[in-house]
């Protein structure tokens, strides 16, 4: 099945695909890909356990660990379900992110900042373009992310990048390259990553709460890996050009150039109730707010 192996779908079967997407969101388990086909460890394989496509990433006092997709992708949708470290997770970060390689890399991040028992996680998102990030937002969640699995997704096309939690958009990064010259990730394929690591110098309550290693090992569980994106392999075999070309895939559909009315309402709700930090509002940090914040 094409969908399971990360290829996009030609627009001639788009209607079928849109119906399939709805079906798929309801029954994502049934459509989940085989982890081993799509991912491999990139850091500390001995801290990673794959139990029939339920993948446990462990952090202890010797190491964190990480997984990476075997391929890179340019545009499409990547999603995973995560159940975060339970109990005392202060100082830890669990991440689900996309990144290209090299110094001028592009990157899209979900970073889950742990907390002491009973205090809420925060999710930090960021967008790097051509090596430059500094676009953090932080949100609280409307559920306990340690009690059960929830889905986290990137939808990425030429017009926008949408960060979704359980299908609800929490952030949109819009392509304003032509309008105001802010660079937009559209030239480099990105790998898809999951990781856990110790970040107690900054993650929890500004770095004041350190990781309590007596509570190790810290385990985040990942499952239901879904990649429906354009595989970006090499210039030589034409896949790169195919990914860059517009109009071939379901994510090029005009309806996905921006949020639907329903999604805009959802985003508004999330921003009103759960946005706790936005770089676009941080006048103490920037002498001049970044250009994308002004329009
Ligand atoms: C996943 O794929 C690997 C290699 O392709 C295979 O060995 C394994 O049995 C598969 N696992 C499941 C659960 O389908
Ligand atoms: C790491 O944790 C193990 C098991 O809890 C413990 O035996 C060991 O002393 C710890 N090592 C360090 C360097 O703290
Ligand atoms: C990316 O940044 C490098 C400098 O790090 C610059 O030379 C290059 O022109 C930039 N590329 C784009 C597409 O902005
Ligand atoms: C941790 O809990 C404290 C106290 O409720 C809260 O101020 C903080 O935002 C929470 N999250 C992080 C990542 O520090």
């Amino acid at each position: 099945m094409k969908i399971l192996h990360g290829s996009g779908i030609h627009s001639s079967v788009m209607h079928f695909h849109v119906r399939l997407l709805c079906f798929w969101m309801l029954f994502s388990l049934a459509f989940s890909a085989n982890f081993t086909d799509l991912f491999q460890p990139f850091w500390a394989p001995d801290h990673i356990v794959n139990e029939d496509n339920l993948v446990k990433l462990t952090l202890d006092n010797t190491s964190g660990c990480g997984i990476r997709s075997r391929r890179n992708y340019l545009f499409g949708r990547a999603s995973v379900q995560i159940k975060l470290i339970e109990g005392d997770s202060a100082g830890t970060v669990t991440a689900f992110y996309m990144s290209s390689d090299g110094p001028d890399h592009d990157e899209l991040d979900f970073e889950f900042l742990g907390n002491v028992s009973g205090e809420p996680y925060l999710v930090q998102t960021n967008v790097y373009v051509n090596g430059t990030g500094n676009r953090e937002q932080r949100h609280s969640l409307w559920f306990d992310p340690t009690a059960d699995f929830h889905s986290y997704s990137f939808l990425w096309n030429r017009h926008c990048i949408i960060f979704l939690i359980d299908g609800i958009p929490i952030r949109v990064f819009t392509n304003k390259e032509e309008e105001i010259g802010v660079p937009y990730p559209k030239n480099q394929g990105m790998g898809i990553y999951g990781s856990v690591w110790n970040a107690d110098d900054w993650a929890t309550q500004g770095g004041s709460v350190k990781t309590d290693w007596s509570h190790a090992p810290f385990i985040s569980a990942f499952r239901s890996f879904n990649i429906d994106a354009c595989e970006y392999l090499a210039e030589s075999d034409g896949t790169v050009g195919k990914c860059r070309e517009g109009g071939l895939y379901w994510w090029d559909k005009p309806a996905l150039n921006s949020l639907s009315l329903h999604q805009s309402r959802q985003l508004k709700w999330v921003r009103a109730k759960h946005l706790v930090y936005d770089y676009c509002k941080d006048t103490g940090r920037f002498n001049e707010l970044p250009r994308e914040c002004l329009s």
Side-chain angles (χ1 to χ4, degrees):
M1 275 207 53
K2 271 203 147 215
I3 296 171
L4 299 189
H5 294 287
S7 299
I9 296 280
H10 194 274
S11 54
S12 65
V13 292
M14 198 166 69
H15 288 295
F16 168 71
H17 186 74
V18 168
R19 293 216 326 262
L20 189 62
L21 241 188
C22 302
F23 182 75
W24 181 29
M25 276 154 39
L26 287 173
F27 299 99
S28 65
L29 260 181
F31 283 84
S32 289
N34 180 335
F35 171 78
T36 315
D37 289 344
L38 292 176
F39 288 86
Q40 62 198 354
F42 79 92
W43 174 29
D46 63 335
H47 281 57
I48 301 167
V49 177
N50 176 5
E51 290 168 356
D52 201 12
N53 294 317
L54 171 68
V55 176
K56 294 180 176 168
L57 303 186
T58 299
L59 166 69
D60 62 22
N61 65 3
T62 66
S63 186
C65 65
I67 55 172
R68 185 205 196 286
S69 59
R70 294 179 183 275
R71 307 219 161 112
N72 287 345
Y73 303 90
L74 183 64
F75 304 127
R77 181 176 182 276
S79 74
V80 71
Q81 294 186 0
I82 310 173
K83 184 173 180 291
L84 294 165
I85 298 160
E86 288 172 65
D88 181 7
S89 58
T92 72
V93 170
T94 300
F96 172 53
Y97 62 106
M98 299 186 62
S99 182
S100 54
D101 305 317
D104 300 331
H105 78 295
D106 299 333
E107 183 179 324
L108 312 173
D109 297 325
F110 277 108
E111 292 178 321
F112 303 91
L113 316 183
N115 218 330
V116 292
S117 295
E119 295 302 326
Y121 263 83
L122 288 178
V123 53
Q124 171 166 295
T125 55
N126 204 352
V127 176
Y128 284 73
V129 192
N130 199 29
T132 305
N134 301 323
R135 296 191 174 92
E136 295 87 356
Q137 285 188 358
R138 286 185 178 187
H139 291 83
S140 58
L141 293 165
W142 50 95
F143 52 84
D144 175 0
T146 73
D148 207 345
F149 285 89
H150 291 269
S151 98
Y152 304 94
S153 320
F154 300 104
L155 175 60
W156 174 29
N157 63 29
R158 275 165 196 75
H159 303 279
C160 58
I161 296 159
I162 308 176
F163 295 70
L164 301 124
I165 298 183
D166 291 334
I168 296 174
I170 65 150
R171 176 169 187 174
V172 180
F173 185 76
T174 303
N175 184 349
K176 295 180 180 173
E177 207 162 63
E178 282 179 18
E179 202 182 313
I180 53 172
V182 175
Y184 184 81
K186 63 175 191 327
N187 299 315
Q188 313 184 63
M190 294 199 251
I192 301 164
Y193 294 81
S195 62
V196 291
W197 81 92
N198 179 37
D200 66 2
D201 53 330
W202 63 273
T204 303
Q205 301 179 34
S208 63
V209 184
K210 302 300 175 190
T211 304
D212 180 349
W213 294 109
S214 72
H215 293 152
F218 302 103
I219 300 172
S220 280
F222 287 57
R223 72 175 189 196
S224 302
F225 299 85
N226 264 305
I227 303 174
D228 188 358
C230 190
E231 275 182 30
Y232 180 96
L233 301 173
E235 295 285 354
S236 55
D237 70 4
T239 61
V240 169
K242 189 175 67 116
C243 293
R244 289 211 178 109
E245 200 175 322
L248 291 176
Y249 296 100
W250 63 265
W251 53 83
D252 294 321
K253 199 166 102 94
L256 297 177
N257 290 1
S258 59
L259 296 181
S260 69
L261 192 57
H262 177 61
Q263 287 179 314
S264 303
R265 290 198 187 108
Q266 291 179 316
L267 179 64
K268 210 168 159 183
W269 172 79
V270 169
R271 289 182 61 90
K273 301 283 184 198
H274 294 282
L275 182 66
V276 301
Y277 174 80
D278 187 356
Y279 77 110
C280 275
K281 302 266 158 67
D282 195 344
T283 48
R285 176 179 176 191
F286 301 103
N287 289 330
E288 237 178 284
L289 284 177
R291 271 172 301 168
E292 70 268 22
C293 300
L294 305 173
S295 66

